[in-house]
């Protein structure tokens, strides 16, 4: 029945839930998320780790899911945009709302995941930290609002 | 009364317990409650929710929110209860196109719709007041509306819009409702938050590429890499046994697609598929050859006329000094973040598509034509665009999706282009060059100016019927007599030697105004330098006949502190332009290292769009215009070798990133009396402001874009 050519079921831990997928080991995590599991918040932009639209957290670190083979994920905990918070209340999401950051919005899942990972590492990032960490491409040009929102998110997180 | 005519559905995509969006487009019962259609632009529910219909497309530019503001203000609606919903193209057709034009480009979303959507809001308001007056048995003139409530001033009685909507909907729609004066606006002109943000923060926003339907298959496509090439053959048997593969199909005469269970499987099989192409004699075209082709136009005897005044030859003859410079700009891909894609289903002689489109009407027409069905047998589901910038006005990807679906009837097919297909099969910004010639008298006044364009024509490629006596009027964008800011130049000639290639070209955010403004504003800077004058003062002297241009130029100069001291090593550049109905100007502050690292410290950008609908969204468009314009200035170039595009992804077609993005200060100076666009005009002044600052810093004139080829790079 199944002609996926899989190497047996792979168990993934995504947003705290276990998922069984029947995909070949070398399938990019991005496409497993989008097509095998049906979680489409993580976006395809380039497929070559340039744009960052596919950014997810792997054990808390931001990574480009188009470059991760699903067979290499093992027991690592994956967090996607859908699992960043149960209700859009993560400080980054609240700050994004406050600054009305998104334009088309397509890159914003990746921008938000990159920003959340940065803040987890550096609760008070400098502009230089932001420059270094935020390498995601935005064609609409929301960069200045992304920067302002990261500073606001740091404030919001500090108040909790 | 009808409701949910459009795609409010997109907000209600069902989710399974497993988190998979797989149940299609059902509206949960609780959400399906219908409101009353009061006029055509507003649907009002019992709980006072106002759903404003949107005919244009939202691609990030904020038009959905802006159009809703226009309707809601005239409607006197409670903004906190306003939502927006797309009108479906086939419903527009069935209703005799009451919602008007759906095409979304040329910064027209607001400015071309403003009159009739405001009238729609005002008509609905009058109907609600009339309904209340009838219930109370009083004169309508004794009633007023505010925040979705009608009040009878004499008795103090009040009725909510939600209580009145059903009765109001049955009243005739006033043909000429009274519009508010600008002083009466409450929502227009306010920097309210966008209506479409929350979904974009959680992954819940569904773009076309996210569509998942029952039984859906996925398609990957390879188009002839050589422009004008044809598909000869492919060996389907070689990939038939690969995981998930269902079909290998020819698409038109120039592409092949693999259809599989998953897109990743389709793409993997497509890469393994042996394909033979016929280059059709086009396999030798190169950027070098195209450059020679264009160079020939710079001095050609024949050229199409843009505008002229005075006597150019006499003006040049009278000059004490003549200045000449040749500029050029390359092909550019749009590179929307969401690659081209479309989902199509062909069943029982009918076509349904799910598409991100800048023109719902064109999508419908393309689907009907490709499916071989009547216009009335197409259903179009419009989704938000993951970027448009002019690319999604063309419907090649829609056509392909339908052609594939027709060969696999009964199943929805989602076609997704790889980034490489997207970048190499664009409708590129056309390549152009300009030879600029001017005369200066002994006092440094401009006696004559000739701008000779040479290059490819968008209109000739996309819609030759719009050529005027063989001349492309769009090529002169920003330079027509009613647009050009230096009409005080006594002797003027602007013309265009059309030099086309077989590279597809199209509308790229800002279109020809981008290129023309680089040519003109950098050359004016050259003239100021040759005349030994300050670049601002030199421009001001040429703008005696253009007070609105001058006012914006002065506004930007004042905010930027033009003439005031800067830190050591920092230099200013200035540029101005008129396009899409708005006057814009910018000042850039730049420093350049000995190695060519360009640091843009600060941008001040002014715009006069007449009236402003939402100042914080205007600011967002100005900021974004600099990101888009400076990406092009520093990096943007698509080159042709062996008849095909070389650059295929963001590694070779670099985009400006966070660390390179300058601080942008917006100065919005609405002078009133007209409605100008804001999505595009500012892009035109971004590169020349920076280029003129680079000259001030280094003494080097860059005349061929992009900067990466001239030894400059972002710091």
């Amino acid at each position: 029945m199944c002609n996926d050519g899989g190497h047996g079921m792979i168990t993934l831990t995504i947003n705290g839930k276990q998922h069984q997928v029947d995909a070949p080991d070398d399938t990019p995590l991005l496409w497993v998320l989008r097509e095998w599991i049906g979680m489409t918040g993580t976006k395809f932009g380039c497929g070559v780790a340039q744009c960052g639209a596919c950014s997810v957290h792997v054990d808390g670190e931001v990574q480009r899911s188009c470059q991760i083979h699903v067979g290499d994920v093992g027991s690592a905990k994956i967090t996607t945009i859908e699992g960043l918070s149960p209700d859009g209340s993560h400080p980054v999401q609240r700050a994004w709302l406050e600054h009305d950051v998104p334009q088309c919005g397509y890159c914003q899942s990746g921008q938000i995941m990159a920003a959340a990972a940065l803040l987890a590492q550096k609760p008070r990032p400098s502009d230089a930290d932001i420059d270094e960490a935020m390498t995601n491409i935005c064609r609409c040009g929301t960069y200045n609002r992304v920067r302002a929102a990261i500073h606001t998110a740091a404030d919001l997180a500090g108040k909790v | 009364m009808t409701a949910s005519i459009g795609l409010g559905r997109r907000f209600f995509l069902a989710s399974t317990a497993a988190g998979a969006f797989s149940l299609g487009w059902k509206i949960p019962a609780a959400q399906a409650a219908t409101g009353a259609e009061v006029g055509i632009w507003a649907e009002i529910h019992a709980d006072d929710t106002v759903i404003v219909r949107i005919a244009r497309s939202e691609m990030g530019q904020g038009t959905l929110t802006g159009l809703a503001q226009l309707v809601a203000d005239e409607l006197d609606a409670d903004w906190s209860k306003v939502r927006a919903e797309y009108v479906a193209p086939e419903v527009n057709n069935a209703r005799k196109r009451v919602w008007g034009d759906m095409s979304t480009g040329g910064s027209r979303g607001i400015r071309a719709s403003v009159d009739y959507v405001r009238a729609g809001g005002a008509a609905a308001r009058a109907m609600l007041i009339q309904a209340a007056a009838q219930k109370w048995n009083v004169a309508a003139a004794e009633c007023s509306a505010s925040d979705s409530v009608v009040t009878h001033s004499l008795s103090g009685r009040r009725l909510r819009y939600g209580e009145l909507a059903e009765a109001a909907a049955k009243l005739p729609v006033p043909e000429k409702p009274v519009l508010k004066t600008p002083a009466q606006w409450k929502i227009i002109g306010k920097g309210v938050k966008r209506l479409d943000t929350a979904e974009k923060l959680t992954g819940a926003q569904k773009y076309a590429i996210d569509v998942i339907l029952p039984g859906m298959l996925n398609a990957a496509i390879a188009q002839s890499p050589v422009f004008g090439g044809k598909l000869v053959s492919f060996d389907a048997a070689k990939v038939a046994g690969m995981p998930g593969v269902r079909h290998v199909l020819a698409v038109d005469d120039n592409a092949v697609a693999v259809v599989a269970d998953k897109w990743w499987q389709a793409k993997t099989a497509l890469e393994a598929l042996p394909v033979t192409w016929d280059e059709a004699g086009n396999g030798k075209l190169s950027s070098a050859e195209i450059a020679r082709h264009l160079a020939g136009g710079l001095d050609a005897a024949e050229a199409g006329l843009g505008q002229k005044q005075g006597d150019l030859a006499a003006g040049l003859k009278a000059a004490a000094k003549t200045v000449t410079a040749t500029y050029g700009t390359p092909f550019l891909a749009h590179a929307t973040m969401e690659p081209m894609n479309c989902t199509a289903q062909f069943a029982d002689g009918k076509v349904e598509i799910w598409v991100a489109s800048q023109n719902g009407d064109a999508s419908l027409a393309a689907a009907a034509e490709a499916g071989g069905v009547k216009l009335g047998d197409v259903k179009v589901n419009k989704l938000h665009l993951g970027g448009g910038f002019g690319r999604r006005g063309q419907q090649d990807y829609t056509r392909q999706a339908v052609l594939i679906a027709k060969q696999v009837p009964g199943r929805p097919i989602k076609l997704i282009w790889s980034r490489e297909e997207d970048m190499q099969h664009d409708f590129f910004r056309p390549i152009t060059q300009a030879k600029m010639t001017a005369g200066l008298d002994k006092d440094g006044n401009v006696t004559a100016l000739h701008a000779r364009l040479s290059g490819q024509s968008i209109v000739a490629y996309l819609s030759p019927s719009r050529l005027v006596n063989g001349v492309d009027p769009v090529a002169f964008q920003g330079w027509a007599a009613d647009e050009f800011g230096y009409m005080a130049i006594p002797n003027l000639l602007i013309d265009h030697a059309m030099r086309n290639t077989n590279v597809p070209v199209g509308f790229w955010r800002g279109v020809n105004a981008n290129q023309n403004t680089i040519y003109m504003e950098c050359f004016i800077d050259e003239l100021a330098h040759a005349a030994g004058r300050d670049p601002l003062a030199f421009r001001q002297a040429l703008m005696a006949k253009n007070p609105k241009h001058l006012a914006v130029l002065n506004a930007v100069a004042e905010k930027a502190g033009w003439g005031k001291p800067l830190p050591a090593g920092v230099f200013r550049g200035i540029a101005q332009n008129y396009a899409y109905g708005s006057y814009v100007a910018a000042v850039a502050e730049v420093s350049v290292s000995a190695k060519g690292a360009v640091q843009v410290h600060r941008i001040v950008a002014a715009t006069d769009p007449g009236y402003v609908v939402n100042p914080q969204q205007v600011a967002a468009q100005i900021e974004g215009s600099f990101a888009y314009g400076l990406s092009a200035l520093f990096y943007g170039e698509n080159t042709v070798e062996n008849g095909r595009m070389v650059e295929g992804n963001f590694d070779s077609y670099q985009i400006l990133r966070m660390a390179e993005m300058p601080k942008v200060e917006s100065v919005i100076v609405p002078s009133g009396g007209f409605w100008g666009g804001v999505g595009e005009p500012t892009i035109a002044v971004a590169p020349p402001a920076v280029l003129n600052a680079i000259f001030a810093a280094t003494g080097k004139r860059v005349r061929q874009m992009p900067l990466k080829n001239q030894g400059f790079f972002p710091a």
Side-chain angles (χ1 to χ4, degrees):
Chain A
M1 179 71 187
C2 175
N3 61 349
D4 276 356
H7 299 186
M9 284 296 200
I10 295 172
T11 302
L12 297 171
T13 308
I14 302 166
N15 302 332
K17 282 188 191 158
Q18 300 226 317
H19 295 264
Q20 304 274 319
V21 294
D22 186 2
D25 283 350
D26 62 355
T27 311
L29 176 61
L30 166 65
W31 292 100
V32 170
L33 290 170
R34 290 183 57 83
E35 301 203 286
W36 271 262
I37 300 177
M39 297 174 71
T40 55
T42 305
K43 300 302 188 209
F44 165 56
C46 70
V48 296
Q50 280 285 321
C51 77
C54 65
S55 297
V56 299
H57 295 174
V58 181
D59 282 338
E61 293 218 1
V62 68
Q63 293 204 24
R64 294 188 171 174
S65 64
C66 72
Q67 298 301 303
I68 300 172
H69 289 167
V70 67
D72 294 339
V73 173
S75 61
K77 292 186 173 61
I78 307 295
T79 306
T80 70
I81 186 70
E82 291 93 341
L84 185 62
S85 68
D87 51 3
S89 64
H90 187 282
V92 169
Q93 290 167 316
R94 283 188 285 144
W96 250 242
L97 198 57
E98 188 176 325
H99 288 269
D100 232 7
V101 171
Q103 290 188 26
C104 89
Y106 192 82
C107 75
Q108 297 296 339
S109 296
Q111 303 276 5
I112 287 169
M113 295 309 282
L118 167 65
L119 287 164
Q121 269 199 334
K122 293 188 176 169
R124 287 276 165 194
S126 66
D127 278 339
D129 294 331
I130 293 171
D131 285 346
E132 191 178 343
M134 299 299 294
T135 58
N136 301 35
I137 293 174
C138 172
R139 284 297 268 158
C140 299
T142 62
Y143 297 123
N144 292 352
R145 291 185 187 213
V146 167
R147 183 190 301 281
I150 289 173
H151 289 306
T152 297
D155 292 342
L156 291 172
K159 280 180 194 158
V160 173
Chain B
M1 281 291 137
T2 139
S4 292
I5 51 162
L7 262 204
R9 287 169 289 181
R10 78 181 182 280
F11 295 114
F12 311 132
L13 257 186
S15 159
T16 67
F21 296 96
S22 57
L23 295 184
W25 303 85
K26 261 188 194 161
I27 306 166
Q31 306 278 15
T34 58
E37 189 180 79
V38 185
I40 57 164
W41 291 99
E43 174 191 311
I44 301 176
H45 290 235
D47 65 357
D48 289 347
T49 301
V50 172
I51 300 190
V52 175
R53 271 84 184 255
I54 306 292
R56 310 279 178 178
S57 300
E58 177 59 51
M59 51 191 150
Q61 83 282 39
T63 207
L64 178 128
T65 303
L67 289 166
Q69 283 179 261
L70 293 169
V71 174
D73 199 326
E74 296 291 350
L75 179 58
D76 270 317
D78 175 350
W79 178 251
S80 70
K81 292 177 179 164
V82 172
R83 307 286 176 267
E85 177 186 280
Y86 286 134
V87 174
E90 70 277 8
V91 179
N92 195 25
N93 284 346
R95 298 269 301 265
K96 299 183 180 164
R97 302 192 57 78
V98 289
W99 290 283
D101 188 6
M102 299 202 140
S103 124
T104 314
S107 296
R108 276 193 302 268
I110 300 282
R111 64 190 177 115
S113 318
V114 58
D115 292 340
Y116 56 80
V117 302
R118 283 180 64 204
R125 176 180 176 275
M127 293 159 77
L128 289 155
I129 288 177
Q130 184 62 36
Q134 286 179 1
K135 282 200 181 184
W136 294 325
N137 203 18
V138 300
E142 293 172 7
C143 304
S144 63
S146 178
D147 280 336
S148 294
V149 174
V150 179
T151 304
H152 179 232
S153 52
L154 298 176
S155 65
R157 280 174 290 185
R158 295 156 56 87
L159 281 170
R160 293 182 294 103
Y161 280 7
E163 297 170 308
L164 293 166
E166 212 167 302
K170 295 182 180 126
L171 296 173
V173 181
E175 278 183 21
K176 290 196 173 164
V178 179
L179 298 185
K180 292 183 180 180
T181 64
Q184 294 172 311
W185 291 339
K186 294 178 186 166
I187 304 170
I188 298 171
K190 294 287 182 301
V192 298
K193 295 278 171 63
R194 297 174 63 116
L195 295 172
D196 56 345
T197 297
E199 297 85 356
K200 293 173 178 172
L201 308 181
T202 60
Q205 179 71 60
K206 296 294 155 197
Y207 298 86
I209 201 171
D210 301 327
V211 167
I212 298 175
L213 298 167
M216 187 178 82
L217 299 173
N218 290 272
I221 195 165
Q223 300 163 84
S224 167
V226 169
F227 298 115
K230 303 289 177 208
L231 175 68
V232 176
S233 63
F234 51 86
D235 188 355
K238 283 280 199 308
V239 302
M242 289 180 71
V245 171
R246 303 287 188 118
H247 309 275
V248 185
L249 306 166
V251 184
D252 266 333
D253 63 353
N254 62 356
V256 57
V258 174
V259 179
D261 293 339
K262 317 279 195 209
W263 186 78
W264 182 253
Q265 297 166 332
K267 181 201 180 258
T268 304
L270 183 63
E271 284 171 356
L273 180 72
V275 183
T276 307
W277 303 102
D278 173 8
E279 295 182 351
N282 297 310
K284 295 229 161 68
L285 188 68
S286 68
S287 282
E289 184 191 326
I290 292 170
R292 285 193 293 275
H293 180 47
L294 265 62
L298 294 174
D299 294 306
E302 279 192 34
L305 180 65
Q307 70 146 318
K308 69 183 282 191
Q309 69 175 0
D311 182 337
L312 178 79
L316 288 173
K317 204 173 170 187
K321 188 194 277 187
T322 303
V323 182
T324 299
T326 299
Y327 286 82
T329 50
F331 289 116
L332 289 178
H334 297 78
T336 62
M337 288 308 298
E338 180 192 14
M340 295 305 111
N341 69 86
C342 177
T343 300
Q345 176 164 283
F346 184 93
D348 306 323
K350 295 191 160 112
V351 174
E352 182 165 3
I353 59 171
W354 292 258
V355 67
S357 167
Q358 286 178 238
N359 189 339
D361 295 326
S363 300
L364 190 151
E369 197 272 331
V373 302
K374 296 194 292 282
L375 290 174
D377 286 333
V378 178
K379 183 168 165 48
V380 179
N381 302 280
K382 280 174 70 177
L383 289 101
H384 279 355
L385 289 68
F389 313 120
R391 174 63 179 89
R392 286 189 156 98
Q394 305 310 317
Q395 296 301 314
D396 47 337
Y397 55 99
T398 304
R399 172 182 169 79
Q400 290 170 347
V402 175
L403 288 173
I404 295 167
K406 198 173 180 184
Q407 298 180 69
V408 190
R411 303 203 58 163
I413 308 287
K414 177 158 70 176
L415 168 68
I416 305 174
W417 288 18
S418 67
R419 173 57 62 190
E420 289 76 12
E421 286 295 317
D422 184 279
M423 194 169 285
Q424 297 179 328
H425 296 280
D426 202 342
F427 293 80
F428 299 88
R429 190 180 81 174
I431 190 165
T432 69
Q433 296 182 15
K435 184 175 180 183
M436 311 294 289
T437 308
L440 296 169
D441 69 16
K442 61 179 172 37
D443 299 320
N445 302 308
V446 182
T447 60
L449 174 71
H450 180 198
R452 161 59 66 87
L453 290 166
S454 173
Q456 200 159 351
S457 157
I458 298 170
V459 171
Y461 186 80
L462 289 180
S463 47
S465 64
R466 288 173 55 207
L467 293 173
V468 180
N469 299 323
V471 178
D472 173 0
V474 179
F476 304 108
Q477 198 181 19
W479 290 354
D482 58 354
E483 300 175 319
F484 189 54
Y486 305 119
M487 289 304 291
I489 296 173
N491 303 296
L492 196 58
L493 177 62
I494 291 171
D495 54 11
H496 177 212
M498 194 185 293
R499 292 292 183 271
N500 292 326
T501 78
N502 75 346
V503 177
V505 293
F507 300 100
W508 189 96
R509 189 179 186 182
V511 193
N512 289 86
N514 289 325
Q515 297 157 285
N516 293 348
T517 307
I518 290 175
Y519 307 152
M520 187 61 67
E521 286 302 298
C522 289
F523 187 63
I524 290 286
D525 228 63
E526 296 205 44
L527 296 179
H529 184 70
R533 296 234 202 114
D534 170 76
L536 171 64
F538 187 79
R539 284 176 173 79
Q540 288 167 330
L542 295 175
M543 296 172 118
K545 293 187 176 175
N546 299 92
K548 283 193 182 287
H549 293 77
L550 178 61
V552 173
L553 185 74
N554 287 340
V556 83
E558 187 187 344
K559 179 74 187 292
W562 186 269
K564 292 188 179 149
L566 284 165
V570 180
F571 295 84
R572 291 192 183 95
I574 194 165
Q576 66 82 30
N577 181 53
Y578 171 91
Y580 305 98
S582 292
Y583 302 84
V584 296
V587 168
E589 295 178 6
V590 164
S591 60
V592 186
S593 79
K595 288 184 175 165
V598 177
Q599 173 96 44
V600 184
H601 300 274
R602 179 191 183 209
I603 297 288
V604 182
T607 183
D608 174 8
Y611 294 117
V612 171
V613 180
N614 186 324
Q616 69 105 353
Q617 282 305 307
V618 174
Q621 289 307 298
I622 291 173
E623 291 160 25
S625 291
F626 274 89
Y628 210 75
L630 296 185
S631 273
L633 173 65
F634 279 106
Y635 299 119
E637 179 182 38
N638 295 90
T639 50
V640 181
E641 290 303 330
N642 300 317
R644 67 198 80 195
M645 281 300 172
V646 174
E647 294 75 14
N649 209 317
F650 293 123
D651 46 0
S652 49
Y653 188 75
Q654 281 285 332
I655 304 296
L656 199 84
R657 294 173 200 247
M658 171 75 79
E660 302 151 357
M661 178 71 193
K663 193 169 74 172
V664 178
E665 297 169 31
S666 305
V667 186
I668 304 171
V669 284
S671 61
F674 61 97
W675 299 85
V678 295
E680 297 173 274
T682 298
I683 297 179
V685 290
V690 170
L691 284 164
N692 290 337
I694 289 174
F695 172 77
T698 65
K700 182 164 182 197
R701 283 285 173 201
V702 175
R703 299 191 182 95
Q704 296 293 325
M705 309 311 133
L707 284 172
K708 69 169 183 164
N709 296 343
Q710 308 294 332
F712 293 105
F713 52 93

